[in-house]
Amino acid sequence: MKTATNKPDYVLFDRTTRAFIYNMQTKAVQRMLDFDYASKREIPSVAAIINPTGSDSYSKFFFGPQEILLPVYKSMQTAAEKCPDADVMINFASFRSAADATLEALQLPQIRTVVIIAEGVPERKMKEVIARAKELNKVIIGPATIGGIVAGAFKIGNTGGTIENILESKLHRPGSVGCVSNSGGLSNETYNIIARNTDGLYEGIAIGGDRFPGTTLVDHLLRFEKNPAIKMLVALGEVGGNDEYEIVKALQEKKITKPLVIWVTGTCAKAFKTEVQFGHAGAKADLEMETADAKNKALREAGAYVPDSFDDYDKLINEVYTGLVKEGVIIPAPEPEIPKIPVDYDTALKSKMIRKPANFVSSISDDRGEECLYGNKTISQVVREGLGIGGTISLLWFKRLMPQYALKFIEMCLIITADHGPAVSGAHNCIVATRAGKDLVSSLVSGLLTIGPRFGGAIDGAAQMISEAYDTNTPPAQFVAEMKKKGVNIQGIGHRVKSTHNPDLRVTLIKEYAQQNFKETPLLNYALEVEKITTTKRDNLILNVDGCIGVCFADLLRNEMTKEEADEYIRMGALNGLFVLGRSIGLIGHHLDQKRLKQGLYRHPWDDIAFLNE
Ligand code: ACO
Ligand code: LMR
């Protein structure tokens, strides 16, 4: 791994630079990684995120089309130990904690540069930070800055804006111009001007708008002067302060020899009667020499290229650049191919650039609006109109609101199937599971899993068998005989304990309700004929609960929809859903009951088991 120390001091960032991002600034990180990919960097420029209020973890990002995980550390110290190659910290801490976080970062031997994004860091605190950085020979950029960029190599946070902007301003590959300014917004504008009038930016730094910036315009210009890759300098000064006079001095002392195009903004301040405070804390002229006009004049006299107004700034940049090309100082490189950056799915979808077939189709409920719809009714309507559980099932299972008699019948089925004591298969399993320490859902499911053709799961089977026999005009006696011949039990017929002598009153309830409320009950009538025959064989071969619900429900569906639709619901197994739903009520009851009674682990008695040692 590369160590941070073997770089010349004029290089703060290059294609191998790795940074820590202080605070969870995921958007800024993603923009940096998109820039890295566009610049064909081999490794991401973000080494890790430091999230002082979180815990050690990872965060997902894209590096081009590929998803990568970046480590997140709670402590700066751990981040430093884990990522010894990181030498930059981009500090997104608030104005309250930015100075302390910077002081902590400066103490890490590997850190060479700290960028402070926050605006409004107390000036007293900043003076302390600047002094400490000087002592340690480290560089501060900011505060109140967007950061900076080395084209095609490294980008600080949100510098340069969106990836489209980056590509437009040709920041994904190096040019020959070093640029420095106060303002982040204007720096983006300047990079664009540079892209249009020269071979492009090499490095650009926004020093930030505070009165006490960590580094000044001249600091960076002197750095650019030393960098052989930078052939011309471009700067934007600002009304207020003396920083530009340092540039004047450097020009006079020939410390800056590369051609410098500079404009000090704020010349319009003279149009106002009183002193104007521009956006930045430092942007206010207290003395005549701090005015933009005075500074522009001094710079021009010291040998800088200063336009007459901002309108001529681009032309002058172009003139100076063209001169350097003519002299052979700059040899423009061939334009590399513009890299294709994958677009985020959400962005592409929003701009209607892509379409995708749905993985799911759903037609019963729609939760995209203000309120979820059950069929065409909002939940509020279902509640306010008193549609009850019957209405809810009608809407969600059968996609229509059936008449009141049908809704009442659905509810009756649920009430009737809710429980049948602790001895039946489902309740038994649920109770055993509860006593073995299982939770509510596991115990419930254990009971539900016993539902099958011999217990509670014969409703659809009964409806299907009986309706098929009825639809083919098979006389009931012939039907019973044929089933016997095939050795198949007629679904919905027979009960272990109920019989003609001990009738199942649940069946009576269902039967009577259907006969009194349904338009017609041909399938029920047919099933009762079948029962007459089977009970002559054995008194327990009655039409049971499953059978009675099955045939009555088939009659109801055939009343409320086409025969084909009704048969399709039965084939899909919809009617067993009634027993599943109803019995869940009882099974949950059994689970709670066993818990409440604090029943211990269940063990079956040996005398109830015949051991066959074959
Ligand atoms: N159709 C025709 N004959 C039957 C039926 C039937 N549905 N059920 C039992 N028989 C006959 C058997 O063929 C057997 O006759 P055999 O003695 O001549 O061989 C005799 O009755 C006894 O059969 P078993 O299976 O021992 O009866 P058991 O009382 O154990 O089973 C059960 C009861 C499981 C309900 C059975 O009748 C059956 O499988 N019925 C069809 C499925 C059904 O409706 N299940 C839901 C039950 S209700 C509920 O769980 C909520
Ligand atoms: C039930 O509803 O669970 C019963 O009909 C089954 C039984 O065995 O009694």
Side-chain angles (χ1 to χ4, degrees), residues 406-417:
L407 308 190
K408 213 169 151 212
F409 183 69
I410 294 175
E411 287 184 7
M412 199 174 144
C413 292
L414 298 182
I415 296 168
I416 278 171
T417 55

Side-chain angles (χ1 to χ4, degrees), residues 382-397:
V382 173
V383 172
R384 293 214 172 96
E385 293 171 24
L387 302 181
I389 290 285
T392 308
I393 291 175
S394 175
L395 288 166
L396 290 179
W397 293 11

Side-chain angles (χ1 to χ4, degrees), residues 453-456 458 484 489-490 492-494 496 538 541 544 546:
R454 290 168 67 80
F455 169 68
K484 173 80 192 160
N489 278 353
I490 302 166
I493 294 285
R496 277 201 77 85
R538 248 173 212 278
L541 292 184
N544 62 33
D546 281 21

Side-chain angles (χ1 to χ4, degrees), residues 92 156 173 198 226 237 299 303 319 417 454 492 545 604 608:
F92 280 97
I156 298 170
R173 80 335 173 243
T198 72
K226 284 197 240 163
L299 283 160
E319 241 170 66
T417 55
R454 290 168 67 80
V545 182
H604 216 71
D608 208 21

Side-chain angles (χ1 to χ4, degrees), residues 282-300:
K284 179 170 178 284
D286 292 323
L287 300 165
E288 171 55 28
M289 69 176 299
E290 291 186 16
T291 62
D293 282 340
K295 290 188 193 183
N296 279 325
K297 184 164 175 280
L299 283 160
R300 195 177 288 124

